[in-house]
């Protein structure tokens, strides 16, 4: 059982999108928190980093997870590995 | 009736029919919930006593969950362990939300935010951000692997019984510590709702949990959790929206609380400099000094105290004092510390409490200020700032990785029909969780605004009735004392426990009692649903992995499920017994479960999927070392564990990291050990490599 070239491409693309999204996840979670004091400008009433921790980061997490589900679903079909319900 | 959640007259429904049927069932259910609350509200107006309302909520919700449990009873292994693998993504998302949001999230989170301000956001980010790891790194692959439990994956991927056994042990360790905290929450809420004893409350709630998971395993738990999710979200949102309308006129608290935060920040400055607050703080400083004087000479001070109390008693008796005075003096005499050690303990605790109250804002940091200390201040302030920031990041890390490694959450992704739905289901889970976590910081700020501007500064004799009624329930949750005898409530004269903030919101917002009952029922739903999931995880680890896979592989399906059920009962009773002892520091127990899960499971699971070269020896040593480092750090540094296990070695923090984030050290050690050991030992067999290949593609049609 050897995976085909298409399978390898599928896996490489999966790894790439995972890495990019993890990078976004990391910078939103740890990057913004690390510089929280400096990012203290007012953002609709909130100090920006407070808003990021309370709401912004959560929105980004939802987008990351939703985008991944959408992207991988397309990739599954493109590379003919989609499973049936 | 069993047809609601599966087959109708034995015929399986297609997935679309099934989803439509579920939609219908839960629409009616939500409508029923609304009608139930409205009827109770009308009855309250007609004069129904509060106790009856509380009892109605308790009995109706537990009865409902038990009813779903009875309707979904099953002895089929696939139904029992993974709900037949046909839970639609949306419903699995809701069930995961309820499974995930525990008593700590529902009751404790907003309270923590209220008390700690920005630092509390570590919980918000940690408990949601972990789902990115679940979605990107674990859930789809575990679903493709498609067995019943997490130790199953470890056993298959790493070969042999040892990885499975360690998986079982770690799953039980983290789930059990977590479970005790949930059952404790159940006891707290039932005794609040109905006024029955805490211990009795525990066993009543336990009955509800058991009927559900005992009869129908994952199938019953899933459909109950969906019902519980609906209750808990409705219950959480109603009082906050109301409070927001009351304060700002806008019914979307999540959008407008930034402006309330600005007002709170201004009020904080005002309160810090308020002369009456300063007076109260000064009185506490004197109290603290008196106590340190006593602590310097405990034996003499205790003797003097006893003599003074006895003398006062004599005077009162001879001098025609009122009965109330005499009985309070007698009580003071009776509660005197018995010996020197007890006196030192009591005085140290009293001094610590008084020391907090010498600080501005009742010891709470300014709500919007990131981290304590000051990066531009004195070296000591800079040090405080650095440590505080490090601990914030470490806690976020541990909570995130722990989220992605808790077996009762990962197990939920086995129950969806396909890999595609597993990915969608994580999205739905996060959206469901998002609703509550997005609101918690708003709730904390609105409550703070209400307390700072309305309650503080009120004359003592005009305080709302609920202040006294809560004091009667438990003075450690809420109490007020007029320290400077000016008949005005100052912030530092008030004690608020974090666990009460959410339960308090309806009363602060001036809502009828029925909403308080609904909020308590929501908290109960949160605690029960999480307890259901945890209990099932433990029972399955023992029944499926230990008994079936390792002890008796020839066991029939029925006997496997039966063993799981018996173990479920034993574990539940054991957890209830531990919770009834009221172990100290529940929040610590919950967070410890995250560090344990992070260090034991995450490296082995993620490397098992993404690195073919990871082998059994590496995984076993990695899990053991990760868990070992985490436990070592926690046991040698955490005050409560040190006291419980009599550890006397000096406390040595690494880089000032609090023991709550011990997983920060365990996770990298786990990764490093797996990689290094795997590289110097033989690669895994061809069969295992093919398994890894197999789980990477949702369906291998054209190999």
């Amino acid at each position: 059982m050897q995976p085909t070239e298409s399978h390898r491409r599928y896996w490489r693309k999966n790894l790439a999108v995972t890495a990019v999204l993890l990078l976004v996840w990391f910078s939103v979670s740890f990057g913004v928190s690390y510089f929280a004091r400096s990012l203290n400008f007012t953002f609709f009433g909130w100090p920006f980093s407070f808003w990021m921790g309370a709401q912004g980061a959560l929105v980004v997490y939802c987008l990351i997870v939703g985008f991944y589900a959408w992207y991988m679903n397309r990739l599954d079909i493109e590379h003919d590995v989609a499973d049936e319900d | 009736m069993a047809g609601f959640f599966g087959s109708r007259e034995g015929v399986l429904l297609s997935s679309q029919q099934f989803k439509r049927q579920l939609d219908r069932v839960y629409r009616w259910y939500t409508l029923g919930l609304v009608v139930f609350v409205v009827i109770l509200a009308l009855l309250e107006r007609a004069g129904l006593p509060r106790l009856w309302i509380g009892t109605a909520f308790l009995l109706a919700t537990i009865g409902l969950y038990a009813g779903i449990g009875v309707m979904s009873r099953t002895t089929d292994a696939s139904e029992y362990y993974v709900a037949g693998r046909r839970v639609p993504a949306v419903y699995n998302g809701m069930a995961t939300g309820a499974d995930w949001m525990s008593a700590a999230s529902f009751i404790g989170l907003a309270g923590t935010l209220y008390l700690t301000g920005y630092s509390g956001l570590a919980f918000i980010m940690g408990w949601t951000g972990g789902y990115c790891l679940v979605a990107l790194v674990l859930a789809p692959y575990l679903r493709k692997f498609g067995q019943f439990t997490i130790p199953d994956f470890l056993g298959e991927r790493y070969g042999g019984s040892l990885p499975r056994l360690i998986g079982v042990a770690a799953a039980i360790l983290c789930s059990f510590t977590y479970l005790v905290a949930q059952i404790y929450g159940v006891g707290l809420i039932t005794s609040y709702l109905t006024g029955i004893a805490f211990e009795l409350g525990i066993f009543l709630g336990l009955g509800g949990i058991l009927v559900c998971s005992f009869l129908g395993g994952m199938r019953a738990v899933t459909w109950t959790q969906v019902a519980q999710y609906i209750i808990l979200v409705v219950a959480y949102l109603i009082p906050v929206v109301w409070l927001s309308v009351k304060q700002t006129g806008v019914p979307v608290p999540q959008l407008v609380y930034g402006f309330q935060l600005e007002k709170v920040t201004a009020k904080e400055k005002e309160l810090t400099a308020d002369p009456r607050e300063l007076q109260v703080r000064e009185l506490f400083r004197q109290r603290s000094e008196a106590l340190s004087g006593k602590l310097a000479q405990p034996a003499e001070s205790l003797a003097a105290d006893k003599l003074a109390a006895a003398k006062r008693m004599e005077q009162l008796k001879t001098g025609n004092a009122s009965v109330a005075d005499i009985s309070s003096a007698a009580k003071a005499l009776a509660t005197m510390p018995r010996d020197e050690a007890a006196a030192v303990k009591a005085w140290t605790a009293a001094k610590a409490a008084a020391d907090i109250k010498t600080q501005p804002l009742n010891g709470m940091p300014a709500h919007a200020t990131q981290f304590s200390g000051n990066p531009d201040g004195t070296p000591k302030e800079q040090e405080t700032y650095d440590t505080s920031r490090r601990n914030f990041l470490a806690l976020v890390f541990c909570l995130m990785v722990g989220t992605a490694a808790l077996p009762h959450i990962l197990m939920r992704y086995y129950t969806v029909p396909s890999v595609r739905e597993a990915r969608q289901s994580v999205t739905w889970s996060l959206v469901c969780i998002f609703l509550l976590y997005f609101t918690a910081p708003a709730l904390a700020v609105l409550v703070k605004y209400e307390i700072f501007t309305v309650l503080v500064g009120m004359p003592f004799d005009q305080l709302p009735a609920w202040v006294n009624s809560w004091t009667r329930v438990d003075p450690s949750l809420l109490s007020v004392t007029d320290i400077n005898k000016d008949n005005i409530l100052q912030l530092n004269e008030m004690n608020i426990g974090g666990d009460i903030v959410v339960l308090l919101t309806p009363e602060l917002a001036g809502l009828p009692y029925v909403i308080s009952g609904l909020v308590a029922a929501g908290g109960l739903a949160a605690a029960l649903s999480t307890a259901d999931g945890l209990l099932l995880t433990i029972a399955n680890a023992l029944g499926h992995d230990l008994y079936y896979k390792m002890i008796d592989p020839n066991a029939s399906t029925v006997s496997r499920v039966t063993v799981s059920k018996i173990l479920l009962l034993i574990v539940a009773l054991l957890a209830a017994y531990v919770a009834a002892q009221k172990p100290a520091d529940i929040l610590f127990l919950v967070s410890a479960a995250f560090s344990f899960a992070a260090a034991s499971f995450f490296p082995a699971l993620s490397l098992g999927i993404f690195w073919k070269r990871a082998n059994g020896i590496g995984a076993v040593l990695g899990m053991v070392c990760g868990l070992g480092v985490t436990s070592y750090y926690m046991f040698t540094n955490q005050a409560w564990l040190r006291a419980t296990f009599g550890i006397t070695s000096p406390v040595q923090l690494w880089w000032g990291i609090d023991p709550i984030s011990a997983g920060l050290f365990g996770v990298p050690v786990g990764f490093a050990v797996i990689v290094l050991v795997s590289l110097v030992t033989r690669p895994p067999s061809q069969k295992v490599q093919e398994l890894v290949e197999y789980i990477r593609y949702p369906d291998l049609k054209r190999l």
Side-chain angles (χ1 to χ4, degrees):
Chain A
M1 251 186 18
Q2 273 302 310
T4 61
E5 187 50 37
S6 163
H7 281 123
R8 284 205 192 87
R9 272 207 311 279
Y10 170 85
W11 183 244
R12 269 202 304 277
K13 280 187 187 165
N14 179 10
L15 286 183
V17 72
T18 307
V20 169
L21 292 177
L22 282 179
L23 197 69
V24 176
W25 164 81
F26 185 86
S27 41
V28 164
S29 316
F30 298 99
V32 174
S33 305
Y34 187 84
F35 295 106
R37 268 284 168 103
S38 327
L39 297 168
N40 210 1
F41 56 89
T42 307
F43 185 82
F44 297 106
W46 287 272
F48 179 71
S49 50
F50 187 97
W51 181 82
M52 276 303 285
Q55 303 197 333
L58 276 67
V59 175
V60 175
Y61 297 152
C62 282
L63 292 177
I64 289 176
V65 175
F67 174 79
Y68 179 75
W70 172 82
Y71 180 87
M72 287 307 288
N73 187 24
R74 279 193 21 186
L75 204 64
D76 284 353
I77 295 166
E78 205 176 289
H79 290 264
D80 204 18
V81 293
D83 59 344
E84 278 136 33
D85 292 352
Chain B
M1 286 302 269
F4 271 151
F5 301 109
S7 50
R8 193 188 284 153
E9 281 110 39
V11 184
L12 283 177
L13 303 173
S14 80
S15 62
Q16 285 200 335
Q17 280 175 317
F18 185 46
K19 171 126 189 324
R20 268 203 301 278
Q21 177 158 326
L22 285 171
D23 290 343
R24 205 163 46 235
V25 169
Y26 283 107
R27 255 201 309 275
W28 279 109
Y29 161 81
T30 313
L31 194 70
L33 178 70
V34 173
V35 171
F36 177 72
V37 174
V38 170
I39 290 177
L40 275 184
L42 292 176
L43 286 175
E44 187 188 354
R45 285 208 134 179
L48 188 73
R50 290 180 159 212
L51 192 62
W52 288 38
I53 296 176
T55 313
F57 268 110
L58 182 71
L59 295 181
T61 49
I62 290 189
L64 175 81
Y65 307 146
I68 297 178
V70 172
M71 281 195 271
S72 321
R73 63 187 176 278
T74 183
T75 48
D76 180 89
S78 146
E79 291 284 348
Y80 185 85
Y81 287 120
V82 289
R85 284 196 217 285
R86 46 212 205 84
V87 181
V90 187
Y91 287 98
N92 194 51
M94 287 162 93
T96 313
D99 204 356
W100 177 238
M101 288 184 284
S102 61
S105 296
F106 190 93
I107 311 176
L109 186 62
T112 307
L113 284 161
Y114 172 86
L115 292 174
T116 61
Y118 182 85
S119 316
L121 294 180
F123 290 94
I124 301 271
M125 280 201 276
W127 282 342
T128 50
Y131 277 86
C132 292
L133 294 177
V134 174
L136 302 175
V137 181
L138 298 173
Y141 308 105
L142 288 176
R143 173 61 193 87
K144 178 67 203 296
F145 168 69
Q147 289 281 334
F148 292 142
T149 67
I150 299 305
D152 260 341
F153 178 80
L154 295 172
E156 289 290 320
R157 168 64 180 83
Y158 292 116
S161 293
L162 201 53
R164 187 189 290 272
L165 190 66
I166 296 173
V168 169
I172 292 173
L173 176 71
C174 26
S175 303
F176 194 80
T177 37
Y178 208 179
L179 180 63
V180 169
Q182 300 312 313
I183 294 189
Y184 182 86
V186 171
L188 199 72
I189 296 167
T190 37
S191 62
Y192 161 68
L193 270 177
T194 58
I196 57 172
F198 175 81
E199 287 78 8
L200 196 61
I202 285 184
F203 284 95
L204 200 64
L206 199 63
I209 302 173
L210 273 179
V211 176
C212 183
S213 38
F214 188 73
L215 292 173
M218 192 55 134
R219 174 154 111 159
V221 166
T222 302
W223 304 124
T224 317
Q225 282 174 339
V226 175
Q228 286 164 328
Y229 176 77
I230 295 172
I231 292 190
L232 80 88
V233 152
V234 170
Y236 205 80
L237 291 179
I238 288 179
V240 198
V241 169
W242 193 282
L243 205 55
S244 171
V245 170
K246 190 181 159 209
Q247 288 181 9
T248 64
V250 181
V252 194
Q254 297 87 344
L255 286 183
V256 294
Y257 79 93
F259 301 103
Q260 297 306 97
L261 182 60
E262 277 182 345
K263 289 180 204 159
V264 166
T265 307
K267 187 77 184 172
E268 275 170 347
K269 290 209 180 80
E270 200 182 302
L271 284 175
T272 309
D274 184 82
R276 288 171 195 268
E277 293 286 344
L278 291 172
Q279 195 185 7
V280 172
R281 279 157 56 192
E282 172 60 24
L283 287 169
F284 275 111
R285 202 187 56 75
Q286 288 167 9
R287 185 180 289 188
S288 161
E289 263 177 17
L291 282 165
S292 31
K294 280 184 178 179
L295 280 168
Q297 295 173 305
E300 290 85 342
S301 317
L302 185 62
D305 273 10
K306 277 190 174 155
L307 199 66
K311 218 178 224 170
R312 179 165 159 73
M313 191 72 192
E314 276 307 304
Q315 277 174 352
L316 286 172
K317 273 187 182 159
T318 50
N320 267 339
S322 73
V323 181
D325 280 348
I326 293 183
S327 74
S328 80
K331 204 176 158 199
L333 193 61
T335 51
M336 279 264 158
R338 281 179 198 289
D339 51 28
E340 207 181 307
V344 169
K345 204 175 159 199
W347 291 338
T348 316
K351 184 176 180 313
D355 280 340
I356 290 174
K357 300 215 156 253
T358 60
Q359 295 165 26
L361 301 176
N362 220 349
M364 294 188 286
H367 201 86
T369 304
Q370 301 90 345
F371 317 123
S372 46
N374 183 358
D376 309 314
T378 61
K380 191 159 179 287
E381 281 174 335
Q382 285 178 16
E383 164 107 24
T384 317
Y385 173 75
D386 278 338
T387 319
S388 150
R389 178 164 72 176
R390 257 203 305 274
N391 271 305
F392 183 89
L393 296 175
L395 186 58
V396 172
F397 175 83
C398 285
L399 296 176
M400 279 180 174
V401 181
T403 302
L406 277 172
H408 73 288
I409 294 301
L410 294 179
M411 239 169 69
R412 287 233 52 94
Y413 298 102
Y414 282 134
T415 65
V416 291
S418 63
V419 175
R420 186 166 64 93
E421 296 233 7
R423 295 190 199 113
Q424 284 172 0
S425 181
V426 187
T427 315
W428 282 114
S429 308
L430 190 54
V431 169
C432 290
I433 293 164
F434 173 86
L435 266 181
L436 195 140
Y437 281 33
F438 204 60
T439 316
L443 196 154
V445 170
L446 296 182
V447 166
K448 208 168 213 176
Y449 178 80
E450 195 74 18
I451 287 181
F452 279 15
T453 56
V454 179
L455 217 54
V456 168
M458 215 181 234
F460 263 82
D461 40 21
Q462 289 170 26
L463 287 178
W466 53 261
V467 175
N468 286 323
S469 64
W470 271 108
T471 311
R472 274 199 301 279
V473 175
D474 186 348
S476 68
L477 289 179
L478 182 73
S479 63
V480 290
T481 339
D482 195 0
I483 302 286
N484 59 352
K485 307 272 183 250
D486 63 352
N487 197 31
I488 302 280
L489 178 68
Q490 269 85 48
L491 183 60
N492 278 31
E493 291 179 335
M494 189 156 124
N495 271 327
I496 283 199
D499 289 342
I500 185 188
V501 168
V502 169
L503 295 173
L504 214 61
T505 322
E507 285 165 314
L508 270 176
L511 283 160
Y513 183 75
V514 66
I515 301 298
S516 300
L518 180 65
V519 169
L524 192 67
L528 287 178
S529 56
T530 308
D532 276 337
L534 291 165
L535 209 50
L536 207 57
T537 306
I538 301 174
N540 291 352
L542 289 169
H544 175 78
D545 289 299
L546 200 66
Y547 172 71
Y548 171 59
K549 291 280 181 170
M550 294 169 71
I551 295 174
D552 182 8
N554 298 321
S556 69
T557 319
V558 176
S559 78
R560 278 155 62 191
V561 172
T562 312
V563 167
S564 277
K565 286 181 175 179
I566 294 169
L567 288 166
L568 195 83
L569 197 67
I570 298 171
V571 172
L573 290 174
L574 199 64
Y577 173 76
V578 177
Q581 312 299 311
K582 299 196 182 182
D585 225 343
I586 287 295
L587 182 71
F588 173 76
L589 279 183
V590 170
S591 313
F594 280 80
S595 275
F596 282 133
S600 49
F601 285 118
F602 191 73
L605 289 178
S606 54
L607 285 178
I609 292 163
F610 287 91
W611 196 44
K612 278 189 202 165
R613 187 68 176 74
N615 64 16
I617 310 168
V620 166
L621 290 176
M623 285 194 281
V624 170
C625 291
L627 204 56
V629 170
T630 309
S631 324
Y632 170 81
Y633 194 72
M634 223 179 260
F635 277 83
T636 51
N637 292 320
Q638 211 275 333
W640 179 70
L641 284 172
R642 285 171 65 91
T644 314
F645 293 91
I647 294 163
T648 48
S649 59
V651 174
Q652 265 195 327
L653 294 182
W654 300 341
W655 296 282
I657 297 291
D658 291 333
I660 199 172
S661 313
L664 181 70
F665 306 112
V667 174
V669 167
F671 271 111
V673 170
I674 296 180
V675 171
L676 292 178
V677 174
S678 295
L679 284 177
V680 296
T681 47
R682 277 198 307 169
S685 68
Q686 189 58 33
K687 208 174 127 243
V688 167
Q689 306 222 12
E690 275 170 19
L691 173 77
V692 178
E693 207 63 63
Y694 168 80
I695 58 173
R696 286 180 177 182
Y697 309 102
D699 198 5
L700 281 182
K701 280 198 210 77
R702 290 191 186 171
L703 264 193

